[in-house]
Amino acid sequence: MGIRYCTVSTQDELEQILALQQANLWANVSPEEKEKDGFVTVEHNFEILHQMNEVCPHIIAKDGDTVAAYALCMHPMFADKIDILKPMFAEIDTVVPKEEKYIAMGQICVGKSYRNQGIFRGLYNAMKAHVQPEFESIITEVDAKNTRSLQAHYAVGFKELKTYFSDERDWVLISLK
């Protein structure tokens, strides 16, 4: 059947995103896994994930009924909803012109058994197709220690906007046009 890309349309898909997030959360993966496969930093709850999806549906890669990977769409109206992301939005305001409409990619994650199959690139292609022309760019940040994620983002065309320090970490703010 293969992987298909679509937007989230059910509660079950949101719950599968949360399960995939837990399996790849910074606190839940070994140092070796962090270096080899990367990790996710932010832990969402169902309510905020659902609210974000209502404004701009999240992009998922599905294998049958299984959510294999996801890219969370986070409209700037949610800038003050997740504490660890507040500094990212403040930094965006310092480098992105006020008139530029952007969507934040709130988090991207590919399940372990689906890695190295082009799904990361597929998620961003689907996201770009879904949010343009309403949004000119997709902006996100990556923990500077997450070299796997940074390399993957640069490979699909992201460009660095700036690096900054927040929450005891160095962050790389990046943009895809």
Side-chain angles (χ1 to χ4, degrees):
M1 185 168 167
I3 297 293
R4 68 182 175 87
Y5 299 92
C6 58
T7 56
V8 168
S9 60
T10 69
Q11 180 173 328
D12 178 62
E13 290 167 343
L14 290 172
E15 289 168 355
Q16 286 189 59
I17 287 172
L18 290 172
L20 196 52
Q21 182 179 80
Q22 283 299 313
N24 293 280
L25 201 59
W26 164 264
N28 298 338
V29 297
S30 70
E32 299 77 31
E33 277 184 285
K34 285 176 192 161
E35 191 171 321
K36 179 179 173 281
D37 292 329
F39 53 89
V40 296
T41 304
V42 181
E43 188 171 5
H44 296 81
N45 63 40
F46 182 86
E47 183 180 333
I48 191 74
L49 205 60
H50 181 265
Q51 289 172 5
M52 288 165 50
N53 192 66
E54 291 294 304
V55 174
C56 183
H58 307 305
I59 308 301
I60 52 177
K62 291 192 79 174
D63 182 6
D65 291 331
T66 301
V67 173
Y70 63 84
L72 303 182
C73 297
M74 188 173 190
H75 191 281
M77 71 188 306
F78 291 96
D80 65 346
K81 300 294 185 196
I82 299 173
D83 286 342
I84 198 169
L85 294 180
K86 288 178 183 178
M88 176 184 78
F89 285 100
E91 295 297 332
I92 289 171
D93 288 343
T94 71
V95 293
V96 174
K98 298 278 184 246
E99 64 277 1
E100 183 177 322
K101 291 189 73 183
Y102 71 89
I103 190 80
M105 194 287 299
Q107 186 173 76
I108 191 164
C109 182
V110 178
K112 286 179 177 68
S113 61
Y114 294 96
R115 294 186 180 149
N116 301 312
Q117 298 174 34
I119 293 173
F120 184 90
R121 181 177 298 275
L123 282 170
Y124 272 121
N125 287 341
M127 185 176 184
K128 221 173 153 179
H130 178 68
V131 302
Q132 289 179 337
E134 184 179 353
F135 299 101
E136 298 168 50
S137 60
I138 299 170
I139 298 177
T140 194
E141 68 181 0
V142 177
D143 184 321
K145 289 183 179 169
N146 196 343
T147 54
R148 165 106 181 190
S149 181
L150 275 174
Q151 290 167 353
H153 280 87
Y154 293 145
V156 298
F158 274 85
K159 305 284 186 232
E160 182 176 327
L161 296 173
K162 74 181 300 184
T163 301
Y164 68 97
F165 185 79
S166 174
D167 193 45
E168 307 295 314
R169 303 169 200 227
D170 285 314
W171 297 96
V172 183
L173 190 65
I174 54 179
S175 174
L176 178 67
K177 299 254 183 211

